[in-house]
Amino acid sequence: MPANAFNGHTDYGIGIGLRVPHYSHILSRKPVVDWFEIISENFLVGGGRPLEVLDQILEQYRVVQHGVSLYFGSTDRTDREHLRRLKALVRRTKTPWLSDHLCWGSVDGTYTHDLLPLPYTHEAARRTAAKIRQVRDYLEIPICVENVSSYAEFHLSEMTEWEFLTEVVEQADCGILLDVNNIYVSSRNHGFNPYEYLDGIPAHRVGQMHIAGHTKFEKYILDTHDHPVLDPVWQLYAHATKRCGVTATLLEWDDRIPSFQEVHAEALKANTYIAGARAASKPAPAHARRA
Amino acid sequence: MPAAPDVPRDLRSLQRLMHRALLRPLATGDRMQRRWMDGRATAEVAAGFVRPNDRLSSLERLEIYNRMYWFRLIDNFHDDNPGLRAVLGPRAFNRLAIAYLTRYPSRSFTLRDLGARLEGFIRRAPRWTAPHTALAVDIARFEWAQTVAFDAPARPVLTTAEIARADPARLRLGLQPYVTLLALRYPVDTYVIAVKQRDALRAEASNASVAARTTARVRRIARPRREPVWIAVHRVDNRLFYKRLERPAYRILAALQAGRPLPRAVAAGGRAVTPAQVQEWFALWRQLGWLCRRK
Ligand SMILES: [Fe+2]
């Protein structure tokens, strides 16, 4: 089930995030990459170098838009002007789906530029789902919402994070960008079983996955995107891929970024787990069944 | 028992409360301030809405977000203003950053706009930059102009045919939105270039030996002395450039930018400017792509 309504019925393979330190390598060497994920906000500008690079990338590669500022969970209204600019970018990139986070980050028009966790309440789910629908209807493309990593929980919460995620995506009828590293980070910070999380979400809605590295501190784990993917995260990814089917996967590496080749090689490790999931889902050949 | 005054009951009140907590500046040691605005312990306020776990208290969990907020914004402020940081030194720069971001938290979906009000803030609150306020204003303007030159829109350039067709007495030329004209009291362009070169060397050294690191650290760059300069910050082929202008050239460009018709703009250059010089300047500005249609 690589393709579904939530990723525009595409089969995109393994991508990496488009980052400034790699621009010259990508534009001069034109390496083979299944797709690039761009941060929409970096290209919501009037002109100049960002848009020039984007257009050059678009000539050669498939691009998917990932955002950090829609704040589906903020009680602020969505800014219409922002949506208008986002839609123009969607037309430019022809992204088959668009993702942003299941979080909040602004209050009364003031931005934290962080991805803050929501209280897992029915009220929050209802408001968030309504906003996702509104954005999707305006942009006219499928939306996938991404689970964030978190360091705090709220007394107000009425359910688990995966129950909340499920309630939101069912109500919004949207897809999930499943970040398995974030599930791992949050599971360690809040003491839940990450496999229970994976088994609890509607697998048919997963349109994309994220993998990334994190950093361990004494009392908590921080989602830093500055390391290779750690083994427990690969194990979770293997499980997620078995459960959801082979899904467009992206490696996030945002800080202390090594060479393009190193990042790409790390991302391509996902192929091992994808092959495993493919083998497991194939019916056994006839002679084997006889034995 | 009445509920504590700000235990949130719904999504909006929780977000407002947490937002207020995150935007409060950190105390010494990058810790969360121990007292809330009303004098209660912050720990009590945090416990009212954040769950503790077996390793961290409610306050400690909230503190993670408080720290991340300030580290992220200050890092960004730092990256956008290397010259200002060099003038003030790291401690005073940090104090300025906190004061500015407290007065003007981000009102934009993008961190690009973070420095948009810095020049005005420095003028209105000179104590954060004293005794270098005049220099700090110049540098803040110069560094903001680079953000503008990097990604502001470009308008269609004016063709020779369009200029020829127009009535010269009424022709109003526009200046590209990515060009910023600056009349400054200090030659901050050479200063900022020197700072950036030093910082680049330092970054290289930090990947090299300890000896190289130590020598890089001791290199100080003298603050510039007063000397009026006129600069255009712009881009060519999407690369940033600073161009020194002669004063009459600056005045002509500023008049064009303000919407003056061509003859009046040229007159703004003053009587000492020869027609040949004006022609030469316009040819250069056209070549650089600065002249465009007005909106
Ligand atoms: Fe992610």
Side-chain angles (χ1 to χ4, degrees):
Chain A
M1 189 198 47
N4 60 29
F6 308 109
N7 55 30
H9 301 284
T10 58
D11 185 0
Y12 261 29
I14 299 171
I16 58 174
L18 182 67
R19 299 291 177 265
V20 175
H22 295 156
Y23 281 2
S24 70
H25 178 90
I26 297 165
L27 295 175
S28 63
R29 306 284 180 83
K30 303 183 174 43
V32 176
V33 181
D34 288 346
W35 58 287
F36 283 110
E37 187 182 79
I38 62 161
I39 304 294
S40 301
E41 285 75 6
N42 293 345
F43 301 94
L44 292 175
V45 295
R49 175 102 171 121
L51 293 178
E52 181 195 13
V53 169
L54 179 63
D55 287 341
Q56 288 173 0
I57 294 287
L58 286 169
E59 279 172 23
Q60 318 250 357
Y61 297 99
R62 303 186 293 194
V63 160
V64 175
Q65 276 181 237
H66 179 54
V68 293
S69 70
L70 279 174
Y71 292 145
F72 294 128
S74 276
T75 49
D76 281 2
R77 262 181 218 225
T78 311
D79 178 349
R80 297 299 286 194
E81 172 56 20
H82 182 64
L83 281 185
R84 195 189 58 72
R85 290 171 66 185
L86 193 56
K87 188 163 186 172
L89 188 64
V90 162
R91 294 215 172 105
R92 193 175 196 133
T93 64
K94 300 186 178 63
T95 182
W97 75 93
L98 176 139
S99 61
D100 206 314
H101 300 81
L102 183 56
C103 73
W104 66 282
S106 63
V107 171
D108 302 320
T110 297
Y111 287 72
T112 63
H113 302 282
D114 200 350
L115 308 170
L116 302 171
L118 285 158
Y120 307 134
T121 65
H122 298 292
E123 184 218 350
R126 188 172 36 76
R127 280 174 172 270
T128 306
K131 211 161 170 180
I132 295 169
R133 280 178 174 274
Q134 187 200 351
V135 170
R136 182 198 46 214
D137 292 349
Y138 185 85
L139 297 180
E140 299 177 299
I141 47 164
I143 303 279
C144 287
V145 287
E146 176 179 357
N147 57 294
V148 297
S149 50
S150 61
Y151 315 102
E153 301 159 288
F154 302 109
H155 292 307
L156 270 182
S157 289
E158 297 159 343
M159 57 188 117
T160 63
E161 185 186 328
W162 55 96
E163 286 165 345
F164 180 74
L165 171 63
T166 303
E167 189 163 319
V168 170
V169 297
E170 298 284 354
Q171 281 189 30
D173 190 19
C174 70
I176 298 173
L177 193 183
L178 193 68
D179 189 317
V180 287
N181 179 59
N182 287 350
I183 294 178
Y184 179 76
V185 168
S186 295
S187 76
R188 295 297 300 269
N189 289 337
H190 308 313
F192 63 74
N193 178 351
Y195 289 89
E196 200 184 328
Y197 191 127
L198 285 180
D199 292 341
I201 54 153
H204 68 284
R205 290 188 179 274
V206 175
Q208 186 193 332
M209 293 191 199
H210 269 173
I211 45 177
H214 57 253
T215 306
K216 280 182 202 169
F217 290 94
E218 197 191 329
K219 291 182 176 176
Y220 59 95
I221 295 186
L222 209 56
D223 181 29
T224 45
H225 298 183
D226 61 351
H227 278 74
V229 181
L230 278 90
D231 195 55
V233 176
W234 281 124
Q235 298 312 319
L236 269 182
Y237 175 72
H239 185 80
T241 302
K242 272 186 200 145
R243 180 159 145 66
C244 305
V246 176
T247 308
T249 297
L250 181 118
L251 171 70
E252 296 181 292
W253 204 317
D254 300 318
D255 213 353
R256 289 194 267 169
I257 303 177
S259 72
F260 175 86
Q261 291 94 327
E262 202 174 318
V263 173
H264 198 205
E266 183 66 20
L268 292 178
K269 286 183 192 167
N271 273 324
T272 318
Y273 304 95
I274 288 174
R278 285 216 164 98
S281 67
K282 261 192 211 136
H287 61 87
R289 258 183 272 141
R290 263 201 313 274
Chain B
M1 193 179 77
D6 46 15
V7 172
R9 305 255 165 245
D10 60 15
L11 187 60
R12 193 162 187 80
S13 57
L14 180 138
Q15 291 183 348
R16 284 205 167 126
L17 178 61
M18 181 152 167
H19 189 255
R20 236 180 298 150
L22 302 196
L23 267 65
R24 295 188 83 200
L26 297 168
T28 38
D30 291 330
R31 305 308 302 270
M32 200 159 188
Q33 292 185 41
R34 297 288 126 171
R35 293 277 148 210
W36 193 244
M37 289 85 146
D38 59 7
R40 276 181 300 156
T42 307
E44 185 192 323
V45 177
F49 72 109
V50 177
R51 256 186 222 166
N53 70 5
D54 53 350
R55 286 153 289 163
L56 296 165
S57 67
S58 304
L59 179 78
E60 287 169 321
R61 294 183 112 184
L62 193 57
E63 188 175 72
I64 295 173
Y65 285 103
N66 191 193
R67 291 162 60 120
M68 288 200 299
Y69 172 79
W70 281 100
F71 293 171
R72 177 180 308 104
L73 266 68
I74 289 176
D75 266 5
N76 200 276
F77 194 74
H78 181 287
D79 291 347
D80 287 350
N81 300 282
L84 193 54
R85 185 171 187 270
V87 162
L88 299 177
R91 292 165 70 99
F93 178 79
N94 216 49
R95 285 194 293 270
L96 169 70
I98 293 165
Y100 171 66
L101 295 168
T102 303
R103 178 67 186 84
Y104 295 113
S106 172
R107 301 285 292 175
S108 163
F109 70 91
T110 167
L111 283 165
R112 172 216 186 260
D113 299 334
L114 206 57
R117 310 182 75 163
L118 183 58
E119 179 202 340
F121 179 78
I122 293 174
R123 286 182 196 278
R124 282 190 299 277
R127 66 194 171 111
W128 302 108
T129 48
H132 306 294
T133 301
L135 175 58
V137 166
D138 277 6
I139 293 197
R141 294 179 68 194
F142 183 69
E143 295 193 315
W144 175 249
Q146 293 175 55
T147 298
V148 173
F150 180 68
D151 61 11
R155 297 180 49 74
V157 291
L158 220 58
T159 62
T160 321
E162 280 173 307
I163 297 179
R165 261 204 313 274
D167 169 6
R170 298 178 58 190
L171 181 61
R172 286 168 203 263
L173 298 173
L175 203 58
Q176 291 288 5
Y178 59 76
V179 179
T180 304
L181 303 172
L182 298 168
L184 304 174
R185 286 157 292 187
Y186 293 86
V188 300
D189 50 351
T190 47
Y191 177 73
V192 171
I193 289 169
V195 167
K196 284 185 174 175
Q197 278 169 350
R198 181 199 57 187
D199 290 354
L201 274 176
R202 267 186 190 166
E204 229 167 79
S206 75
N207 295 323
S209 66
V210 176
R213 216 148 52 213
T214 329
T215 40
R217 198 181 300 145
V218 293
R219 239 196 92 213
R220 268 197 63 107
I221 296 162
R223 292 188 191 95
R225 288 167 191 279
R226 249 178 200 272
E227 173 204 328
V229 290
W230 295 269
I231 300 171
V233 181
H234 67 114
R235 67 178 184 237
V236 177
D237 292 336
N238 290 325
R239 288 177 55 208
L240 282 191
F241 288 95
Y242 323 130
K243 182 168 175 44
R244 286 268 181 114
L245 302 168
E246 287 165 70
R247 186 161 181 243
Y250 167 87
R251 297 186 60 147
I252 294 172
L253 286 165
L256 285 176
Q257 197 173 39
R260 305 269 177 278
L262 192 55
R264 281 187 58 199
V266 171
R271 263 175 239 151
V273 186
T274 65
Q277 201 163 23
V278 171
Q279 237 166 24
E280 202 180 300
W281 283 337
F282 271 85
L284 176 66
W285 299 336
R286 283 234 337 262
Q287 213 180 344
L288 290 168
W290 289 2
L291 305 177
C292 61
R293 271 175 245 157
R294 288 195 70 81
K295 241 187 181 163

